[in-house]
Amino acid sequence: MAPRRAEDLQVKRIAAPGCRLPTRLPIGEILTDITHKDWKLGPRLGYGGFGDIYLASDEIHKSVTQDAKYVIKIEPHCNGPLFVEMNFYIRAARQHLINKWCENQQLSRIGVPSYEGSGSHIYKGERFRFLVIPRYGVDVSQLFNNYGRKLPTKLVNSLAVQMLDALEYIHSHGYAHADVKSSNIVLENAPTIPESPRAYLVDYGLAYRFRTAAGMHKPFVHDERRAHEGTLEFTSRDAHHGTHSRRGDMETLGYNILQWMCGRLPWEREQGGMDHNSDPDHVHAQKELFLSDIAHFMSVCFPDRKKPPAAIKSYMKYISSLDFQTKPHYSYLRSLFKPREKMESVTRLLGSNLGKRVVADENIDYLRPKKMPYLRERRPCKPVNCQGRITRNHHVNFQTATFSWEEVLARHPDRMAKSSLVQNVEDDVFNGLTPPPSPPPPSLPTYAMLQVIKRMKDRQAGIYRQKTKANEELKAKWMTPAMEEVAQLKKKVQSIMSMPEKSISPRVTRSRVARLNRK
């Protein structure tokens, strides 16, 4: 969410999904960054869905005035966008890295803010994360509204070239901005807007690392969790799928340039902006349709002009022809918005033949739009076990055998059974289903085998007879001690019960034993 001015309090502030709004910090609060440098907090300058923006100064003994040189972005420690932005600034936006890039590219400046400091701060038991960057002036969205939703061509060309320089620097460090829009492009604080203002690209809360740790470009993968990420009217086709690349940043910048020139994108409302009930999938489908036909796209954006601006038409035609992992030709794209450069410079950049074809032929393969990859694209079938896979388009010709009872009755039944048995055994062996043969028996039989053989011979001779359980006595060898004790008690009880009643001695009790002892 783009930061709002602090004075625009008519709109109720709403936290971004999954985030919490921070507590407002008092003026004069001292924050210490990771390098132990102190920063003094000033009035709140703006706010967003993730955190607040305050004026700040490194002169802690003085009060922070409205002409402060720095701003501090603060958000609760549980939120995430500022953490991503801090990592980007630490890795890619340090002052010595920017100076080295400008020296190698022979540039006086680059439109990327420099890293000044960052750290954590605790206020009333709540932990905050903060980032310090230079302060700038008005953003391009306010400038766009002040000009009646159409910027001058000279100003648009200047902004386009500066943003291409900034994106080239960001991409060289393996990052994609993923949220290029007017409110994230700020100008230097000046009393009047010059013809060629110095613009800076800010807000890296959605910065995406499109390269892996090994330096390889991440593949195109649909991610439903990050689908339609960014600002809906400027979201690239790749971002609608939940992934980002250099091509996505170029496409997003193209939508901004187109809006600055014509005032409204085809999927926006008549007065500009998107409806709160807009369907992201429908917007995505419109972008796919328009980028597949650039001529129709330009006619819709510029209905009052016979010929649309050549720069933006060539720009969008080039973007529609880029592959997902292809590095954009930044020099060629910058040359489109530099009116002083002649065609010879473009020819030197892209080659003499290609330079001529860019102007002469609009239907060349180099500028033809390429279709985006379909998410559920069917892959070719791979062979399994050296055999082709059976798919819907694969038809097998089955030959049905003719059946005749005369042939069946003419055959001998025993031979038919034997032949079918042999055929089944051969098929099982061929398919690897026959179990391995049993090992041969030992040469000398064991004692158990001899006992079994003797019993088999006795049964054949009629000598062996199985004993009945009635005549079989209890064998103590297979009984446990407890079972033997129970069996003995059972025998004793049976013997006592079989004796006559007179011979049975009276029951021995304690009282009877006492009487016997008295006698």
Side-chain angles (χ1 to χ4, degrees), residues 12 37 65 68-69 160 171 227 235 265 297 364 398 413 417 424 480 484 488 498:
K12 184 179 179 181
K37 184 177 180 179
T65 58
K69 298 180 180 180
H171 296 166
T235 302
L265 296 172
F297 191 15
I364 56 176
F398 295 97
N424 293 336
T480 62
E484 292 179 358
Q488 292 177 2
S498 60

Side-chain angles (χ1 to χ4, degrees), residues 394-429:
H394 181 74
H395 300 283
V396 182
N397 296 326
F398 295 97
Q399 296 181 359
T400 57
T402 57
F403 181 78
S404 176
W405 277 108
E406 296 179 356
E407 296 181 1
V408 173
L409 296 175
R411 298 177 184 177
H412 196 278
D414 294 338
R415 292 180 180 178
M416 290 175 59
K418 184 177 180 180
S419 61
S420 62
L421 179 62
V422 172
Q423 182 67 26
N424 293 336
V425 172
E426 291 178 355
D427 293 340
D428 291 343
V429 172

Side-chain angles (χ1 to χ4, degrees), residues 99-360:
N99 295 338
K100 184 178 180 181
W101 174 266
C102 293
E103 182 180 355
N104 294 336
Q105 299 293 325
Q106 298 180 358
L107 297 173
S108 59
R109 52 169 292 277
I110 196 75
V112 177
S114 59
Y115 169 78
E116 300 296 337
S118 62
S120 297
H121 181 71
I122 298 177
Y123 177 73
K124 292 185 177 181
E126 186 177 2
R127 194 176 183 186
F128 296 91
R129 184 185 292 114
F130 69 91
L131 172 69
V132 186
I133 58 174
R135 182 193 178 186
Y136 301 105
V138 66
D139 57 62
V140 178
S141 64
Q142 295 181 359
L143 203 64
F144 179 66
N145 294 326
N146 294 338
Y147 274 95
R149 297 190 62 85
K150 278 189 181 181
L151 294 179
T153 304
K154 190 174 183 179
L155 180 59
V156 172
N157 293 338
S158 177
L159 294 175
V161 172
Q162 293 182 68
M163 290 302 101
L164 286 170
D165 288 336
L167 290 175
E168 183 179 8
Y169 174 80
I170 296 169
H171 296 166
S172 66
H173 287 81
Y175 280 92
H177 188 277
D179 195 19
V180 181
K181 58 183 178 181
S182 300
S183 58
N184 289 338
I185 302 174
V186 294
L187 310 178
E188 283 189 346
N189 194 5
T192 58
I193 304 299
E195 294 182 356
S196 300
R198 294 188 173 186
Y200 292 85
L201 183 61
V202 298
D203 197 354
Y204 297 85
L206 297 179
Y208 179 82
R209 298 196 70 179
F210 65 88
R211 290 195 183 278
T212 61
M216 303 297 294
H217 198 294
K218 294 181 181 179
F220 181 91
V221 178
H222 179 83
D223 188 355
E224 192 65 30
R225 298 170 300 177
R226 303 188 63 173
H228 315 296
E229 194 174 47
T231 306
L232 185 58
E233 52 263 49
F234 306 114
T235 302
S236 65
R237 295 168 296 170
D238 296 332
H240 279 290
H241 289 293
T243 185
H244 302 280
S245 66
R246 294 169 291 191
R247 177 180 69 174
D249 280 349
M250 297 290 105
E251 181 180 338
T252 304
L253 178 60
Y255 294 147
N256 281 271
I257 298 172
L258 196 59
Q259 187 193 57
W260 298 337
M261 288 184 172
C262 65
R264 184 182 66 88
L265 296 172
W267 44 84
E268 287 185 296
R269 296 178 297 179
E270 292 294 334
Q271 62 274 20
M274 300 296 296
D275 191 3
H276 296 290
N277 300 325
S278 299
D279 184 10
D281 293 324
H282 179 64
V283 176
H284 180 202
Q286 286 184 286
K287 294 175 182 177
E288 293 280 4
L289 180 63
F290 281 116
L291 285 176
S292 63
D293 190 354
I294 301 299
H296 175 65
F297 191 15
M298 295 295 108
S299 64
V300 173
C301 293
F302 302 95
D304 300 333
R305 302 178 63 172
K306 294 182 179 180
K307 290 185 179 181
I312 188 60
K313 182 178 181 180
S314 301
Y315 182 93
M316 299 306 297
K317 192 173 294 186
Y318 175 82
I319 297 305
S320 63
S321 66
L322 274 179
D323 289 328
F324 179 72
Q325 300 182 8
T326 303
K327 178 182 178 181
H329 204 306
Y330 303 98
S331 300
Y332 166 70
L333 296 177
R334 279 191 294 264
S335 67
L336 297 176
F337 300 97
K338 293 181 179 180
R340 294 183 180 180
E341 292 195 7
K342 299 181 180 180
M343 197 58 219
E344 287 78 5
S345 61
V346 181
T347 304
R348 288 195 304 269
L349 291 174
L350 300 179
S352 58
N353 295 332
L354 183 58
K356 294 177 182 179
R357 291 175 64 188
V358 168
V359 178

